[in-house]
Amino acid sequence: MIRLALPLLALGMSACAHAQSPAPGGRSDFREREPSEEIVYFVLPDRFENGDPSNDTGDFTGGRLETGFDPTAKGFFHGGDLKGLTQRLDYLERLGVTAIWFAPIFQNKPVQGPPGEESAGYHGYWVTDFTRPDGHFGTREEFKAFVDAAHARGMKVYMDIITNHTADVITYADGPETNFEYRSKGDYPYSTVGDVSGERINPGFIGDEDSSEENFAKLVNPNFAYTPVVPDAEKDVKVPAWLNDPIYYHNRGNSSFTGEDSRFGDFSGLDDLFTEHPRVREGMIEIFSAWVRDFSVDGFRIDTARHVDPGFWQEFVPALEEVAEEEGIPNFHMFGEVYKDIPQNGYIAEYTRRDKLPSVLDFAFQAAMRELLGRDQGTVVLAHMFDGDVLYEGGEEAALGLPTFLGNHDMGRFSTLIKWDKPDISQEELLARVMLGHAMMLSLRGSPVIYYGDEQGFVGDGNDQLAREDMFPSQTAVYNDNDLIGTDATTATSNFDENHPLFRLIAEFSEVRKAHPALTRGRQVIRHYEQEAGIFAASRFDPDDGTEYLAVFNTTGAQRSANVVLDYKARELETLAGACPSAVTVPGSAAFTLPAFGWALCRVSETAE
């Protein structure tokens, strides 16, 4: 039988002690914090808190298929909004959050999908109007109030943006006969209507690899693959108005997310923007520059970044960085979504080198953590993943700012993934593994991202819609029958319990993290790993005075011991969390004994002269 000793009490006392004074080398102005210093909270506004029930149906009237509002259905709007987010900022502040990243808030097409398979744009990724918040969430004035209130607490605001596609408005006259299958550039070139035997069009256009205005001025006919059709009722639905012209879309059919169609195909039917087109590039820069200028946001999470051509990012990123600089926003953080669920960072690192994205979501870290805590793989997996940090543009220093995470709104919650890997796991052990995952993420390199609801022990039934539960009292049966961890509550009641063991763990580790720059800006060195599940250890070093910190973790359900390497000058250790030895065993080695799924976070407090 596994005996679990959750090491919270020792953490609580030490964290409170360190939270009373400013962090060594700390910055009073939140704008000066580097991305690696942020503790990020990722939230879907629709599922967090309903601050204003009067906007539940947005700008629409009618039933659920007209308004998109149905709090009993997992794929429809539930009522959360910007006022609700603003009202709960104190809760997030007590959790330790320093930056809020929320799913897109732009006006969406309220409902999409064929009869019987409809769902709503509650998630924000089906944009029709890029210039204002969705009416279900509130107004531009309410968004400004939210940003100002967050900034007043020293919290940054990261917007989730989309440049790859819009809502599904364009259809193809000849699409149903092929089920909208992707049509390649080789079989359906820009120079003919339909296939290579068709009527010649777009004379002088030399292809999408030349993004000059001169070249694209010759692309005038969009009927090269399919014949795009915009329904009369929606011919002016997109804002800005240029987005209504089919010439600014690839119009090649649905992507299979492999090869050519990964960049040129429609993402699940959504209208795929022709991001090689200079007007599209100019337009997207105009759109998102305005959000920076008007609301002074602090960064962007970039949706579906790998489905956009590199040339787009090479223009977009420096343009937005220049706008942020003009607006007095240093450390403006842009990180792309490059989905890849393997514990190796070579693939996602490509996008920081070829595409020149400043940063990417650390999917490699997420996959490695699942290997360790869901599949009982050796801690060597995590060590090898960190070895790959040299692959990013800027190397290991750049990797310090990668947003790390355990689960999300697409792949599912970390608790759910572990439960998939271990269907017979007990609630007690599931809680212990999830707590260890958060302790590791909050101690190791990167900018940790907490997925909303994880701090309340949410355990979903799956990914996508099944991982997007309500924090306010839910009316969705498929959520309310979930068995949460660390609590007897269900999602049928409000879940903002600040005594939940996961809330307390995250809050306490956040205070330790913020009090010690080694844990935010410090270089990381792997100190111990094993070929099997067991001990993992890493040192972090204070960026100003070089003080060494040791983070040691046990990924097994039994007590484990290890002799961990550290600097030969180290003599005594101070405990910040868990249980650290008071002194080294001999120069260069300290003996650690950790309980099942336990941890120790230590600071070298005395060194030899």
Side-chain angles (χ1 to χ4, degrees):
M1 178 178 178
I2 298 172
R3 296 183 62 84
L4 304 175
L6 302 180
L8 264 177
L9 293 179
L11 169 62
M13 293 183 64
S14 61
C16 291
H18 288 285
Q20 302 307 310
S21 58
R27 291 85 180 269
S28 58
D29 184 354
F30 74 95
R31 294 283 201 196
E32 297 300 322
R33 291 196 307 259
E34 298 176 13
S36 64
E37 296 180 86
E38 307 304 341
I39 298 165
V40 185
Y41 191 81
F42 172 42
V43 60
L44 274 68
D46 180 63
R47 304 300 165 91
F48 190 63
E49 183 64 289
N50 190 346
D52 182 6
S54 71
N55 63 25
D56 285 354
T57 58
D59 301 331
F60 305 96
T61 58
R64 66 194 292 270
L65 297 183
E66 290 73 40
T67 69
F69 178 67
D70 182 355
T72 68
K74 69 182 187 300
F76 280 71
F77 284 97
H78 288 183
D81 50 32
L82 289 166
K83 280 190 176 179
L85 266 177
T86 307
Q87 290 169 6
R88 290 291 185 179
L89 283 173
D90 288 345
Y91 165 86
L92 296 178
E93 188 172 18
R94 289 190 289 270
L95 182 62
V97 169
T98 68
I100 302 168
W101 153 29
F102 47 86
I105 61 163
F106 313 108
Q107 180 67 44
N108 266 227
K109 188 171 182 177
V111 177
Q112 290 186 179
E117 299 177 24
E118 299 96 344
S119 61
Y122 69 93
H123 43 68
Y125 295 102
W126 300 345
V127 183
T128 53
D129 186 344
F130 284 88
T131 67
R132 67 181 181 102
D134 193 292
H136 293 86
F137 300 147
T139 64
R140 285 173 62 89
E141 291 73 23
E142 287 167 340
F143 180 62
K144 183 70 163 62
F146 164 69
V147 174
D148 289 348
H151 284 171
R153 290 166 172 79
M155 295 180 183
K156 294 182 180 179
V157 174
Y158 295 157
M159 295 186 72
D160 200 319
I161 68 168
I162 307 110
T163 67
N164 177 66
H165 56 261
T166 70
D168 183 12
V169 172
I170 299 171
T171 188
Y172 307 132
D174 41 349
E177 63 196 54
T178 68
N179 196 30
F180 299 90
E181 185 177 281
Y182 182 79
R183 289 181 165 177
S184 72
K185 294 192 292 180
D187 291 331
Y188 296 85
Y190 298 108
S191 55
T192 59
V193 173
D195 62 24
V196 293
S197 63
E199 173 193 352
R200 296 293 294 271
I201 57 174
N202 300 320
F205 180 67
I206 59 173
D208 53 56
E209 294 181 6
D210 179 354
S211 291
S212 67
E213 292 184 8
E214 292 79 8
N215 182 43
F216 270 88
K218 299 167 186 173
L219 182 71
V220 295
N221 190 328
N223 299 333
F224 39 80
Y226 283 102
T227 303
V229 175
V230 178
D232 287 342
E234 296 181 293
K235 65 183 179 64
D236 298 315
V237 73
K238 295 180 185 179
V239 180
W242 62 266
L243 288 164
N244 294 298
D245 190 337
I247 200 68
Y248 299 126
Y249 298 84
H250 284 132
N251 301 316
R252 289 190 172 275
N254 288 332
S255 175
S256 67
F257 307 108
T258 59
E260 176 189 303
D261 69 37
S262 184
R263 285 187 180 155
F264 292 88
D266 293 342
F267 191 108
S268 301
L270 299 169
D271 299 349
D272 193 65
L273 282 158
F274 207 139
T275 52
E276 297 83 1
H277 199 302
R279 181 65 184 96
V280 174
R281 293 180 179 183
E282 176 190 23
M284 285 290 135
I285 289 170
E286 290 171 349
I287 287 168
F288 295 114
S289 294
W291 285 92
V292 176
R293 292 190 176 106
D294 293 348
F295 299 101
S296 197
V297 296
D298 304 282
F300 295 148
R301 178 268 193 181
I302 302 170
D303 180 64
T304 52
R306 72 187 180 102
H307 302 295
V308 175
D309 64 292
F312 178 94
W313 299 125
Q314 291 161 14
E315 290 188 23
F316 182 90
V317 167
L320 268 295
E321 288 177 337
E322 182 177 348
V323 170
E325 184 177 353
E326 291 170 356
E327 295 300 311
I329 309 173
N331 298 310
F332 190 84
H333 194 33
M334 286 182 276
F335 50 100
E337 178 204 26
V338 181
Y339 198 119
K340 193 74 169 179
D341 56 354
I342 59 172
Q344 299 159 15
N345 35 23
Y347 177 78
I348 61 177
E350 289 177 23
Y351 290 81
T352 68
R353 288 190 173 273
R354 178 193 57 236
D355 299 48
K356 302 303 180 184
L357 287 171
S359 189
V360 290
L361 278 164
D362 198 347
F363 278 88
F365 176 86
Q366 189 283 328
M369 292 298 291
R370 184 178 183 184
E371 291 293 311
L372 266 62
L373 296 178
R375 296 165 177 168
D376 295 324
Q377 295 299 301
T379 55
V380 64
V381 172
L382 187 59
H384 284 174
M385 190 282 296
F386 283 132
D387 283 345
D389 283 353
V390 297
L391 299 174
Y392 296 102
E393 185 70 29
E396 293 174 329
E397 184 175 352
L400 293 174
L402 297 176
T404 52
F405 66 101
L406 299 171
N408 66 18
H409 61 317
D410 290 327
M411 63 173 49
R413 297 185 180 276
F414 191 54
S415 55
T416 305
L417 300 176
I418 292 177
K419 201 168 183 178
W420 281 349
D421 294 332
K422 297 179 173 296
D424 299 324
I425 194 171
S426 69
Q427 290 291 90
E428 182 186 34
E429 183 179 343
L430 181 58
L431 175 62
R433 288 178 181 265
V434 172
M435 290 181 74
L436 176 57
H438 282 86
M440 295 177 74
M441 181 174 67
L442 285 157
S443 304
L444 299 170
R445 75 99 179 102
S447 175
V449 178
I450 311 300
Y451 182 44
Y452 88 100
D454 281 0
E455 79 279 11
Q456 296 296 327
F458 281 15
V459 182
D461 291 327
N463 60 2
D464 198 73
Q465 294 180 5
L466 291 172
R468 301 172 181 179
E469 302 92 336
D470 303 311
M471 295 277 283
F472 59 97
S474 181
Q475 301 177 47
T476 310
V478 73
Y479 296 157
N480 292 343
D481 64 2
N482 293 351
D483 194 1
L484 311 188
I485 52 175
T487 179
D488 294 328
T490 72
T491 57
T493 61
S494 183
N495 280 274
F496 293 93
D497 178 12
E498 297 184 19
N499 285 315
H500 191 288
L502 273 159
F503 184 100
R504 286 163 47 219
L505 172 105
I506 294 167
E508 292 163 353
F509 259 93
S510 295
E511 289 304 320
V512 174
R513 183 179 177 89
K514 286 184 277 191
H516 299 277
L519 302 178
T520 58
R521 295 184 288 123
R523 178 173 60 94
Q524 177 172 285
V525 175
I526 306 304
R527 292 301 200 186
H528 184 95
Y529 59 86
E530 300 174 5
Q531 299 301 314
E532 307 295 335
I535 300 292
F536 178 85
S539 287
R540 305 292 302 276
F541 294 90
D542 187 284
D544 299 316
D545 65 18
T547 299
E548 182 173 5
Y549 290 68
L550 266 178
V552 187
F553 309 97
N554 176 13
T555 66
T556 74
Q559 179 177 288
R560 286 294 181 92
S561 299
N563 294 316
V564 176
V565 174
L566 77 171
D567 191 274
Y568 274 75
K569 293 181 180 179
R571 292 295 180 266
E572 294 186 4
L573 300 173
E574 173 191 3
T575 296
L576 303 179
C580 301
S582 60
V584 301
T585 309
V586 295
S589 180
F592 284 82
T593 297
L594 300 181
F597 307 117
W599 54 77
L601 188 56
C602 325
R603 183 177 74 93
V604 173
S605 57
E606 184 176 313
T607 58
E609 292 298 329

